[in-house]
Amino acid sequence: MGDFIQVFTELKGVLGGAGAVAVAVALYLWNQRGQRQLEGANTEANVSAIAHWRSVAERSDAALVAMTLRADKFAEERNEVREAFARMEGQMAEMTKLIAQQNSQLEAQSKKLELQSAEMLGLRDQVRKLQEQIHAPR
């Protein structure tokens, strides 16, 4: 910086002052060139990172949509199975009632048949006794 002041003081007049300012600007730009390149690289890295994270976010969004669709389909299938199970439970309850009714009817008919069987035995016994009376010697 001391060299710059020395050059500026040595130059006299309008042309010298303009030249000194031009030299100062050129030196400043030359010194800042590395910083601008570093900032450009940083900006490029930021753009690259943003692009990368954007693609990651897009993939995550797509995966989330796919998982949501799968979860919705699973919930729908689960609800269908629940409905089918509820229908089957209702059908089983009706079948159980029907079987109980039929079982009670069978028990009633079985008792009726037992009574009729006992009656038949009694009638057979009476028929046998009558036949004995008819065929008995007098």
Side-chain angles (χ1 to χ4, degrees), residues 4-138:
F4 174 69
I5 294 173
Q6 185 181 3
V7 168
F8 185 71
T9 56
E10 288 179 9
L11 295 173
K12 303 224 181 208
V14 179
L15 189 57
V21 170
V23 168
V25 169
L27 283 173
Y28 176 77
L29 292 176
W30 183 261
N31 286 335
Q32 294 298 317
R33 178 180 55 89
Q35 184 65 27
R36 283 192 311 270
Q37 288 175 345
L38 186 61
E39 287 175 0
N42 189 23
T43 302
E44 188 176 315
N46 285 342
V47 169
S48 175
I50 289 170
H52 169 72
W53 289 112
R54 183 172 286 153
S55 70
V56 168
E58 288 171 357
R59 289 192 308 257
S60 296
D61 288 345
L64 179 62
V65 167
M67 288 185 341
T68 302
L69 290 175
R70 286 178 56 200
D72 289 346
K73 184 177 179 188
F74 173 77
E76 183 180 324
E77 290 173 354
R78 181 200 62 212
N79 291 341
E80 289 173 359
V81 168
R82 280 184 178 173
E83 289 173 8
F85 187 74
R87 282 192 305 271
M88 288 183 355
E89 280 183 326
Q91 290 173 351
M92 290 291 288
E94 289 297 318
M95 291 170 83
T96 302
K97 287 179 187 176
L98 182 63
I99 289 172
Q101 287 174 351
Q102 290 177 347
N103 194 22
S104 65
Q105 287 175 352
L106 283 174
E107 287 176 2
Q109 287 178 353
S110 177
K111 286 180 184 179
K112 211 180 212 185
L113 285 174
E114 286 177 11
L115 289 174
Q116 288 176 351
S117 177
E119 212 175 286
M120 280 292 271
L121 285 176
L123 290 174
R124 281 187 183 155
D125 193 38
Q126 284 180 3
V127 167
R128 185 183 48 81
K129 285 180 185 178
L130 287 174
Q131 283 178 347
E132 286 176 1
Q133 285 177 1
I134 293 175
H135 296 295
R138 292 193 187 190

